[in-house]
Amino acid sequence: MSAPSAPLSLAPSASPAPSPRRLRSTARAMLRFSEPESWLDVGTGDAHFPLAAKELFPYTSFDGLDTTLHVEWARLVERIEEAHVGPLTDPRITARLRARYDVVSMLHHLPQAPDLRDELRAAVAVLRPGGHLLLEAPDPRCAFAALLGERWFPRARGLRLLPLDDLRAELESQGCTVVVTDRRSAHLPQDLSAALALTLPTSLPSWLAAPLLAPARALDHALAPLLRHTRFSNTYRLIARREAPTP
């Protein structure tokens, strides 16, 4: 059955969809905890992650939040149940969603937030006590970041990068306990091909660039099983539990 048509402003994003296999791997990290009733995916876009996570959590209600109208399209095609448009730090959104969710996921969203600490504070606020924050972000202390410098893709994009230890300290200051950290499973095989793409002239036609980039992409994927076990792993995953306030 084809997806329902929608106005142009609600059309799905034209950007490539993340790998469903990788998204399921991320969702699988939450299987060690009890099945959540409600889950908010922040920066969800077309809600590819909730769609993949539903395969593992069929009884969970997934909602999505995004600053674009893609989240409304995701609701129309029933990838999520509720769509929230706007920044999580909007006081109206935070107040409406306060203490509502068992899980809040932020996958490569935090580095794009205007204020990392405000974004984390809002994410913790919409969690129920005992709920979990699932977060993935580029690791600015990985070996690729040091080796490639300004050609390391997250740095070249001008993202706001927070080292894992700093993120842990910030969450602990907000009443959370970090229960899982993982660099191995979260690694993205893209560093060499992305650095080469940034090196090539922007005027180079795609039909010339593609054959040059293909070997680098292949090398990224071939090395990934080894590199994910080393300091070259470029992404970390963190799960933190919001503790109940002390009476």
Side-chain angles (χ1 to χ4, degrees):
M1 183 175 180
S2 61
S5 60
L8 181 61
S9 60
L10 297 184
S13 170
S15 59
S19 160
R21 180 180 177 183
R22 174 177 172 78
L23 295 176
R24 285 192 296 270
S25 174
T26 299
R28 196 171 289 117
M30 296 303 301
L31 286 173
R32 68 190 72 190
F33 309 106
S34 58
E35 183 161 6
E37 290 183 10
S38 55
W39 188 319
L40 176 69
D41 188 42
V42 179
T44 196
D46 296 336
H48 293 290
F49 178 63
L51 181 65
K54 282 181 182 181
E55 298 180 25
L56 301 174
F57 299 93
Y59 302 109
T60 298
S61 172
F62 285 89
D63 295 344
L65 180 144
D66 202 89
T67 56
T68 74
L69 288 178
H70 292 299
V71 68
E72 289 284 7
W73 178 86
R75 180 185 61 81
L76 286 173
V77 297
E78 299 182 347
R79 291 184 175 184
I80 53 176
E81 295 194 21
E82 291 187 16
H84 305 284
V85 181
L88 185 60
T89 52
D90 184 328
R92 294 168 297 180
I93 293 178
T94 307
R96 187 167 70 246
L97 303 182
R98 187 173 298 278
R100 181 170 168 180
Y101 293 100
D102 298 305
V103 177
V104 172
S105 51
M106 305 174 82
L107 307 182
H108 294 268
H109 165 78
L110 188 62
Q112 303 177 59
D115 188 303
L116 305 184
R117 286 168 176 80
D118 283 351
E119 197 77 14
L120 287 172
R121 194 173 297 111
V124 172
V126 302
L127 277 173
R128 293 169 178 159
H132 292 89
L133 174 65
L134 168 63
L135 192 148
E136 288 184 0
D139 183 0
R141 291 184 178 164
C142 75
F144 268 126
L147 178 66
L148 297 174
E150 295 305 313
R151 288 189 175 87
W152 187 52
F153 185 59
R155 188 170 289 143
R157 290 181 62 197
L159 299 179
R160 297 171 177 84
L161 303 172
L162 196 62
L164 179 57
D165 289 343
D166 294 1
L167 177 59
R168 179 196 296 270
E170 181 62 29
L171 287 169
E172 288 175 349
S173 74
Q174 296 189 25
C176 294
T177 299
V178 174
V179 294
V180 175
T181 59
D182 180 14
R183 286 187 174 92
R184 183 181 64 184
S185 303
H187 175 70
L188 289 171
Q190 65 180 18
D191 299 276
L192 299 176
S193 54
L196 177 58
L198 290 166
T199 303
L200 295 175
T202 56
S203 59
L204 191 68
S206 59
W207 63 271
L208 281 177
L212 297 174
L213 292 173
R217 290 196 184 100
L219 187 58
D220 275 329
H221 285 273
L223 292 175
L226 171 64
L227 296 184
R228 68 176 68 252
H229 294 278
T230 72
R231 289 299 302 173
F232 281 94
S233 180
N234 59 20
T235 304
Y236 58 72
R237 178 183 300 149
L238 177 148
I239 302 174
R241 181 178 63 244
R242 180 186 179 185
E243 303 296 355
T246 304

